[in-house]
Amino acid sequence: MKKLKLDELNRVDIEGFKAQEKLPVVIMLDNVRSMHNVGSVFRTADGFAVEKVVLCGITAQPPHREIEKTALGATQSVAWEHFDDTLTAIAAYKKLGYQIIAIEQAQNSVMLNKNEPNLQEKYVLIFGNEVNGVSDEAMEQTDKCIEIPQFGTKHSFNIVISAGIVLWDFFAKMKL
């Protein structure tokens, strides 16, 4: 087994990335505190070629050195925008025809493995604050809630781990 060198990976450049077909998914961050988490979400969004990252409330915005530590340039490739509050962002994306999905542990949530995305739909996936999760106000505005099955002593994953798990599931079900 031999690792591939960077020039063997056939990566697209930033302009090629911007022009390529995207997974019909927008990631929305609801008051995420950690700039390292924000940067890592950008890097994950780049890896799965999502449409956009939406930063809400106190979520830090690029350019920022602490975001770039983990984004590794993904803030240049992935489209993003900021809203002062999550409810305004949700309303804007509902008007654009997106299904709004919270990634959270909640009553009547659908387990991720049971979720079947519709190839004709567009989705906003809301990931919440590291301590409080998706806000109660945002939860009231969602169309659906997806929960990641967990089996250990902890009751949550880090937001970046959650984003990676959920995006892989959507990508696998919609593109592979």
Side-chain angles (χ1 to χ4, degrees), residues 117-132:
N118 181 332
L119 298 176
Q120 308 308 312
E121 294 281 334
K122 303 181 295 184
Y123 299 96
V124 169
L125 304 177
I126 306 175
F127 295 90
N129 175 278
E130 294 89 344
V131 174
N132 301 314

Side-chain angles (χ1 to χ4, degrees), residues 1 46 68 103:
M1 189 76 55
D46 178 275
E68 288 305 322
I103 310 303

Side-chain angles (χ1 to χ4, degrees), residues 4-172:
L4 295 175
K5 295 183 178 169
L6 284 178
D7 61 343
E8 297 174 310
L9 294 175
N10 298 318
R11 301 282 183 193
V12 297
D13 60 13
I14 290 175
E15 292 310 312
F17 178 87
K18 289 180 178 182
Q20 78 185 32
E21 181 181 348
K22 302 292 188 291
L23 186 68
V25 170
V26 169
I27 298 171
M28 187 175 288
L29 301 182
D30 179 16
N31 292 293
V32 171
R33 296 175 310 158
S34 165
M35 286 189 253
H36 292 145
N37 283 342
V38 173
S40 293
V41 166
F42 268 96
R43 189 168 169 193
T44 303
D46 178 275
F48 290 111
V50 303
E51 287 182 13
K52 186 181 279 189
V53 174
V54 177
L55 309 169
C56 301
I58 66 165
T59 306
Q61 303 169 56
H64 196 287
R65 185 174 55 90
E66 293 301 309
I67 293 172
E68 288 305 322
K69 279 184 180 179
T70 51
L72 299 179
T75 58
Q76 305 304 310
S77 57
V78 177
W80 66 272
E81 66 181 319
H82 178 265
F83 284 82
D84 288 336
D85 66 89
T86 306
L87 295 182
T88 303
I90 290 171
Y93 278 88
K94 278 189 175 194
K95 284 183 183 176
L96 294 172
Y98 285 79
Q99 184 178 21
I100 310 299
I101 301 175
I103 310 303
E104 189 57 86
Q105 298 165 331
Q107 290 178 341
N108 302 314
S109 62
V110 175
M111 289 297 161
L112 180 61
N113 56 304
K114 303 287 185 189
N115 182 59
E116 290 299 328
N118 181 332
L119 298 176
Q120 308 308 312
E121 294 281 334
K122 303 181 295 184
Y123 299 96
V124 169
L125 304 177
I126 306 175
F127 295 90
N129 175 278
E130 294 89 344
V131 174
N132 301 314
V134 177
S135 68
D136 292 338
E137 298 81 14
M139 289 292 292
E140 291 173 7
Q141 299 302 313
T142 61
D143 300 310
K144 184 179 190 178
C145 182
I146 293 175
E147 183 174 338
I148 303 169
Q150 298 176 50
F151 308 98
T153 61
K154 302 301 173 200
H155 297 286
S156 66
F157 290 114
N158 174 281
I159 179 179
V160 177
I161 300 302
S162 295
I165 291 168
V166 173
L167 285 172
W168 166 250
D169 188 75
F170 269 72
F171 186 88

